[in-house]
């Protein structure tokens, strides 16, 4: 069986509070491609048929969830262009915080090789797992006790206060533009 890409795109995503899923489907509608939750078993041999694989996930505790799966894709789908999008509670305007996120999670070679996009989303305590809720509550208490906070800590304290949704279809435009210009 021929395993060369056929100029098709696919989105695979990991989502726990449905923000990443929401963006995956928005992107899929714009690009006319399918989106699959990473929990569905998709063999790597299936993914290798796509010339563009868009990998979506979330930020949790300053870490990009699912990097292990992304690196496995990079290793096994060498003929495919891999694009990363990450959702999080930090507003897109906090560019310094977002730049630090990329530098903490991707090494210099990965930063160069993997086109990456941050999409502001929000926070949904109602859909969080119990362990995540407890982690957020602990973080809130620690920050509340702190008298002097770094700009990052002040922003973090603000964005974890309550549930909210700041996701927007406008946030996907840079990613769509990149794919349209580089992956057609």
């Amino acid at each position: 069986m021929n395993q060369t890409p056929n100029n098709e795109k696919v989105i695979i995503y990991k989502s726990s509070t449905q923000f990443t899923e929401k963006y995956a489907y928005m992107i899929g509608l714009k690009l006319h491609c399918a989106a699959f939750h990473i929990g569905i078993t998709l063999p790597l041999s299936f993914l290798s048929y796509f010339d563009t694989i868009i990998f979506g996930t979330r930020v949790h505790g300053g870490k990009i969830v699912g990097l292990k799966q992304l690196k496995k894709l990079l290793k096994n789908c060498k003929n495919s262009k891999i694009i990363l999008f990450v959702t999080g509670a930090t507003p897109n305007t906090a560019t310094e915080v977002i730049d630090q996120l990329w530098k903490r999670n991707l090494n210099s070679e990965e930063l160069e090789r993997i086109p990456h996009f941050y999409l502001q989303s929000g926070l949904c305590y109602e859909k969080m797992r119990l362990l995540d809720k407890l982690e957020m509550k602990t973080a809130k208490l620690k920050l509340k006790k702190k008298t002097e906070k770094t700009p990052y800590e002040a922003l973090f304290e603000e964005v974890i206060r309550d549930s909210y949704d700041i996701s927007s279809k406008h946030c996907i435009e840079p990613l769509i533009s990149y794919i349209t210009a580089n992956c057609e």
Side-chain angles (χ1 to χ4, degrees), residues 18 29 74 107 122 139 148 155 172 174:
Q18 296 175 327
L29 283 171
L74 289 168
N107 64 39
E148 290 187 35
L155 176 63
I172 67 170

Side-chain angles (χ1 to χ4, degrees), residues 151-169:
Y152 174 78
E153 289 170 328
L155 176 63
F156 186 62
E157 182 178 36
E158 183 182 325
V159 300
I160 66 170
R161 191 169 294 134
D162 298 301
S163 294
Y164 59 94
D165 183 351
I166 56 172
S167 56
S168 165
K169 64 182 178 181

Side-chain angles (χ1 to χ4, degrees), residues 14 19 34 74 80 93-94 157:
K14 188 175 191 83
F19 289 111
L74 289 168
S80 302
T93 55
E157 182 178 36

Side-chain angles (χ1 to χ4, degrees), residues 10-183:
V10 68
I11 302 165
I12 56 171
Y13 65 91
K14 188 175 191 83
S15 186
S16 60
T17 56
Q18 296 175 327
F19 289 111
T20 306
E21 178 179 46
K22 181 180 181 178
Y23 276 124
Y25 284 101
M26 279 187 215
I27 294 163
L29 283 171
K30 280 280 206 183
L31 297 174
H32 308 288
C33 65
F36 297 96
H37 189 276
I38 207 161
I40 297 171
T41 305
L42 292 174
L44 287 173
S45 58
F46 169 78
L47 291 175
S48 66
Y49 286 99
F50 294 91
D51 68 332
T52 303
I53 301 169
I54 304 157
F55 184 89
T57 189
R58 67 186 175 110
V59 175
H60 178 71
K63 293 185 175 128
I64 297 174
V65 176
L67 276 180
K68 187 176 180 179
Q69 286 114 334
L70 176 66
K71 291 178 184 195
K72 193 173 183 179
L73 275 176
L74 289 168
K75 182 180 174 190
N76 293 299
C77 298
K78 291 182 181 179
N79 293 326
S80 302
K81 176 100 172 162
I82 310 288
I83 297 167
L84 170 65
F85 77 88
V86 175
T87 63
T90 302
N92 281 344
T93 55
T95 54
E96 190 174 307
V97 172
I98 295 165
D99 287 343
Q100 287 304 310
L101 166 77
W102 296 126
K103 290 176 185 171
R104 274 194 314 274
N105 286 274
L106 302 173
N107 64 39
S108 56
E109 188 269 330
E110 292 164 339
L111 284 167
E112 183 78 24
R113 180 177 174 205
I114 306 167
H116 49 279
F117 299 86
Y118 179 84
L119 310 177
Q120 67 184 21
S121 57
L123 199 63
C124 185
Y125 285 108
E126 297 78 16
K127 293 180 183 175
M128 272 187 197
R129 296 175 304 161
L130 180 60
L131 183 59
D132 292 340
K133 286 181 188 178
L134 291 172
E135 287 177 9
M136 297 304 276
K137 187 171 186 148
T138 301
K140 282 183 192 180
L141 291 172
K142 282 182 181 179
L143 287 169
K144 188 175 184 177
K145 290 179 183 179
K146 247 184 145 178
T147 53
E148 290 187 35
K149 298 173 182 114
T150 67
Y152 174 78
E153 289 170 328
L155 176 63
F156 186 62
E157 182 178 36
E158 183 182 325
V159 300
I160 66 170
R161 191 169 294 134
D162 298 301
S163 294
Y164 59 94
D165 183 351
I166 56 172
S167 56
S168 165
K169 64 182 178 181
H170 302 291
C171 293
I172 67 170
E173 292 308 321
L175 184 145
I176 299 298
S177 295
Y178 175 85
I179 292 171
T180 303
N182 298 287
C183 302

